[in-house]
Amino acid sequence: KNEVEQSPQNLTAQEGEFITINCSYSVGISALHWLQQHPGGGIVSLFMLSSGKKKHGRLIATINIQEKHSSLHITASHPRDSAVYICAVQPNTGNQFYFGTGTSLTVIP
Amino acid sequence: ETGVTQTPRHLVMGMTNKKSLKCEQHLGHNAMYWYKQSAKKPLELMFVYNFKEQTENNSVPSRFSPECPNSSHLFLHLHTLQPEDSALYLCASSQDSGTYLAKNIQYFGAGTRLSVL
């Protein structure tokens, strides 16, 4: 069983829709990261969270440490948001990162 | 552009070949990482280098051999690979590899798509 589970695995949305991607994890963590992987492979770090909520442009990330759950929201989605979104956690001990399998998002014009 | 450059972007090799993947970062970071990404699987950490010293080897087969000559460059030497080694190999760097520090936000390269025939 993977320490990090994401849902949904695949998501198709119409341009302008509000999108939510969920991440649940099973270990105690010091931080959680949301990453965006573009077609072709390159990965960009979107957020690092240890509590509460962060906002950057149309992207909002929240985390509930007690429930071991995080969500990534995209408001007014756009075709350029089409990518794979990956949740990763830093456990409290060790240097390992645990990664989810990713959510593949396609936004249709 | 993330400041982490990987070459080549694509590589096709036979099982008896020897090849190397290169990663270079221009961010002044001290930690560098190799990851393997196979289809439908989470990213797998392979190696971690901090200040040129290997700090993590995640039970990687010896047919993968990393080299870190300085904090800006990281290589992954490949020999006698198997078809199941075909994957996207990603390099990343961070200011530090310590668990509790915000400085270990990782910046990823675009990856090398490896096919082993």
Side-chain angles (χ1 to χ4, degrees):
Chain A
K1 183 182 182 299
N2 197 18
E3 287 82 0
V4 181
E5 300 284 346
Q6 284 185 237
S7 64
Q9 277 194 309
N10 298 285
L11 181 56
T12 301
Q14 287 292 134
E15 183 174 356
E17 282 186 9
F18 180 83
I19 288 162
T20 296
I21 299 170
N22 295 301
C23 175
S24 296
Y25 53 91
S26 58
V27 297
I29 67 169
S30 59
L32 180 144
H33 299 251
W34 281 103
L35 310 171
Q36 181 190 53
Q37 185 171 27
H38 295 282
I43 293 179
V44 174
S45 178
L46 298 175
F47 294 104
M48 189 183 83
L49 293 164
S50 54
S51 65
K53 175 179 172 178
K54 284 191 177 179
K55 183 175 189 291
H56 185 254
R58 294 179 295 105
L59 303 178
I60 303 166
T62 63
I63 188 168
N64 185 319
I65 295 291
Q66 287 72 33
E67 295 186 4
K68 292 187 167 62
H69 182 269
S70 175
S71 293
L72 177 68
H73 306 285
I74 305 175
T75 61
S77 59
H78 190 275
R80 63 174 175 266
D81 298 325
S82 298
V84 174
Y85 292 84
I86 300 170
C87 174
V89 300
Q90 292 172 238
N92 284 325
T93 56
N95 285 327
Q96 181 72 273
F97 271 72
Y98 295 114
F99 293 86
T101 53
T103 295
S104 179
L105 171 66
T106 302
V107 180
I108 300 170
Chain B
E1 178 59 51
T2 62
V4 180
T5 304
Q6 288 187 242
T7 54
R9 290 296 310 276
H10 301 274
L11 179 62
V12 179
M13 59 187 289
M15 292 167 62
T16 58
N17 291 159
K18 288 185 182 181
K19 297 285 185 184
S20 295
L21 309 185
K22 180 182 176 182
C23 177
E24 187 173 356
Q25 57 96 0
H26 306 281
L27 300 169
H29 289 166
N30 297 312
M32 296 187 78
Y33 310 76
W34 278 118
Y35 288 92
K36 176 183 178 183
Q37 187 178 39
S38 303
K40 306 293 186 187
K41 289 186 178 180
L43 278 163
E44 299 171 53
L45 180 66
M46 299 174 73
F47 300 104
V48 180
Y49 277 82
N50 201 24
F51 291 94
K52 302 189 297 177
E53 298 295 322
Q54 188 180 120
T55 58
E56 190 97 22
N57 177 338
N58 209 20
S59 302
V60 180
S62 60
R63 58 186 184 269
F64 294 92
S65 173
E67 179 191 0
C68 188
N70 54 61
S71 292
S72 299
H73 293 87
L74 185 64
F75 295 91
L76 188 62
H77 303 299
L78 316 170
H79 63 98
T80 58
L81 293 192
Q82 305 297 311
E84 60 264 28
D85 297 322
S86 298
L88 180 70
Y89 288 85
L90 288 156
C91 172
S93 72
S94 65
Q95 190 167 343
D96 194 282
S97 69
T99 303
Y100 296 98
L101 302 176
K103 293 176 182 176
N104 67 352
I105 291 176
Q106 295 184 23
Y107 294 80
F108 286 81
T112 294
R113 178 74 60 187
L114 174 67
S115 297
V116 181
L117 305 178

